[in-house]
Amino acid sequence: METKKRLNNMFRALKCFLTIYILFSVFQLNAQTIVHPSNASIIEEQAAKEIRRYIFLRTGTAPTLAIADNYNSLPAGDVIVVAANARAIITELKQEYGNVNAPDSDNRKGYLIKSIFKDDRNVLVIAGADTTTTLTGAYRFAELIGCHYNLAGDVIPDAK
């Protein structure tokens, strides 16, 4: 039984490492800008700020926050777009990742995190079925870059 438990823990650690490796290889936190729509709710703005905070805590560099309502108004360079699924910018970007919506069925709402490469730049999309799940997606992104949570609060790794 102890061996099985140890193997499960090793498998979880390997899975976590692979997830982070894939995330870094696809989108290496080069994003200098985090974008939310101009008509973003307070919760969507909070999601963008939380992503900025966790990137700063992990890298020592704080990306700038910007506003964009469509792809053409995005700032130059790699960006992270944070918005609810119904926002115009997300609807426009959905075409790039197969028109997949954030999960929303049977009173269960979810989020999605998708990375696309368009016009020689990386665009990471964090979208929730609604504004609250967009914030949940932001916290999941923080977990993917190594941050964790417990009853005492955030757990941020020392290594940048």
Side-chain angles (χ1 to χ4, degrees):
M1 194 66 171
E2 183 67 32
T3 305
K4 188 175 181 180
K5 212 179 227 184
R6 186 174 294 170
L7 284 174
N8 279 341
N9 287 339
M10 287 175 54
F11 178 72
R12 274 191 236 156
L14 179 63
K15 191 167 85 170
C16 181
F17 173 76
L18 288 175
T19 301
I20 292 170
Y21 176 77
I22 289 169
L23 181 65
F24 282 134
S25 67
V26 172
F27 191 79
Q28 299 179 2
L29 290 181
N30 293 330
Q32 295 300 310
T33 309
I34 299 169
V35 177
H36 63 78
S38 62
N39 60 345
S41 70
I42 293 172
I43 297 173
E44 288 169 302
E45 288 180 19
Q46 182 65 31
K49 290 175 184 176
E50 287 291 276
I51 291 169
R52 179 178 191 246
R53 182 171 79 92
Y54 285 111
I55 289 174
F56 173 74
L57 290 172
R58 292 294 288 133
T59 66
T61 304
T64 58
L65 292 173
I67 295 172
D69 290 320
N70 57 41
Y71 180 80
N72 292 331
S73 64
L74 287 175
D78 295 342
V79 295
I80 299 174
V81 178
V82 182
N85 199 48
R87 301 290 183 198
I89 192 166
I90 300 298
T91 303
E92 187 178 346
L93 289 170
K94 273 186 217 177
Q95 298 168 4
E96 300 298 321
Y97 56 86
N99 289 319
V100 178
N101 287 322
D104 184 7
S105 63
D106 298 331
N107 291 329
R108 295 172 133 180
K109 297 184 184 291
Y111 58 86
L112 58 83
I113 300 174
K114 293 283 188 177
S115 176
I116 60 174
F117 186 75
K118 183 176 180 178
D119 299 331
D120 293 327
R121 68 176 175 176
N122 292 303
V123 178
L124 183 70
V125 176
I126 300 175
D130 60 10
T131 58
T132 304
T133 53
T134 301
L135 182 59
T136 304
Y139 288 124
R140 176 62 182 139
F141 173 78
E143 288 176 337
L144 290 172
I145 62 172
C147 303
H148 299 284
Y149 310 95
N150 62 26
L151 292 175
D154 302 12
V155 179
I156 312 297
D158 291 334
K160 297 287 183 203

